[in-house]
Amino acid sequence: MLKDDLARAFITTQSFKWDPTSGFKLASGITSPFYVDCRALMAYPGPRHLVAHLAFERIKELRLECIGGLEIGAIAIATAISDYGHNASPQREWRTFVVRKQTKDHGLGKLIEGAVKPGDRALIVDDVLTTGGSVIKAVKAAREAGLEVAHAFVIVDRNEQDGRARVEEQALTLLSLLTIDDLKAKQQETARR
């Protein structure tokens, strides 16, 4: 099963860490016993392909023109899904974009870079959902740019800090491939071997 393969890839690439005593400080400022490093995971072609394949299966029926999210984490995810969709059957031509953390102070001064135009239906992607802050920031920027956003996608939902509820309050359907429980279970299974 591909979902199981993806959970295993987090373990084999050391992209999931579990330290119940010291924990890890997250971007939100909270300390958690779990650290999920999707940037490390997405650096490997096999796991990147798994993410793209599983994501395609989840979103292929959605009516979308583009995929993107907040820099830097969303870039590899959006690109992998777009590339997979281009080569899949049925083929999808999903353009990509990135939402900057702040507006450029030079050039055209854009907050959103990529191939988007007002009225496009967009999927916001992110690597890990904790508080939902990154997803919400990207959704707000995309909507302000005239994009229609009804769905968000994450690789891992940590099931912490009411992230899912906060995202869904934005009139979004949240899709995820794995939860923190999936990664814990896979790490425990691997340790028993």
Side-chain angles (χ1 to χ4, degrees):
M1 183 160 123
L2 293 180
K3 180 179 169 181
D4 194 54
D5 292 344
L6 181 58
R8 185 177 305 105
F10 270 95
I11 307 308
T12 60
T13 63
Q14 299 182 4
S15 300
F16 175 66
K17 309 268 190 237
W18 185 0
D19 183 346
T21 52
S22 301
F24 305 91
K25 185 175 180 181
L26 306 178
S28 62
I30 65 166
T31 300
S32 173
F34 311 107
Y35 183 70
V36 181
D37 189 351
C38 287
R39 289 186 187 115
L41 180 84
M42 295 296 285
Y44 291 87
R48 190 169 54 240
H49 183 78
L50 275 172
V51 167
H53 184 160
L54 287 163
F56 179 81
E57 292 303 320
R58 295 292 307 274
I59 69 170
K60 67 183 177 185
E61 301 305 324
L62 300 179
R63 295 181 59 207
L64 302 170
E65 282 82 41
C66 53
I67 302 172
L70 199 61
E71 68 178 347
I72 291 172
I75 295 171
I77 300 165
T79 302
I81 296 169
S82 175
D83 287 351
Y84 189 94
H86 179 74
N87 295 307
S89 180
Q91 184 183 41
R92 298 289 188 267
E93 287 293 327
W94 295 317
R95 293 173 270 118
T96 63
F97 64 95
V98 63
V99 178
R100 293 179 174 278
K101 291 184 179 167
Q102 59 187 25
T103 305
K104 279 175 48 175
D105 62 357
H106 61 282
L108 298 177
K110 292 180 175 182
L111 184 60
I112 295 182
E113 299 283 355
V116 296
K117 59 187 181 300
D120 280 350
R121 291 166 295 207
L123 174 71
I124 297 298
V125 298
D126 202 4
D127 50 5
V128 180
L129 180 74
T130 306
T131 65
S134 296
V135 169
I136 292 168
K137 183 174 182 177
V139 167
K140 287 182 177 178
R143 286 176 173 165
E144 286 171 9
L147 303 180
E148 296 177 21
V149 184
H151 294 83
F153 167 87
V154 296
I155 298 172
V156 178
D157 181 351
R158 296 174 63 93
N159 293 331
E160 294 178 334
Q161 305 296 308
D162 295 322
R164 176 173 288 274
R166 291 183 68 219
V167 167
E168 290 174 346
E169 286 172 1
Q170 305 298 313
L172 294 166
T173 299
L174 179 68
L175 308 169
S176 63
L177 296 181
L178 299 171
T179 67
I180 207 77
D181 292 334
D182 295 324
L183 297 179
K184 284 170 41 181
K186 186 52 66 180
Q187 187 175 52
Q188 290 170 330
E189 175 189 310
T190 303
R192 287 192 299 268
R193 289 183 180 174

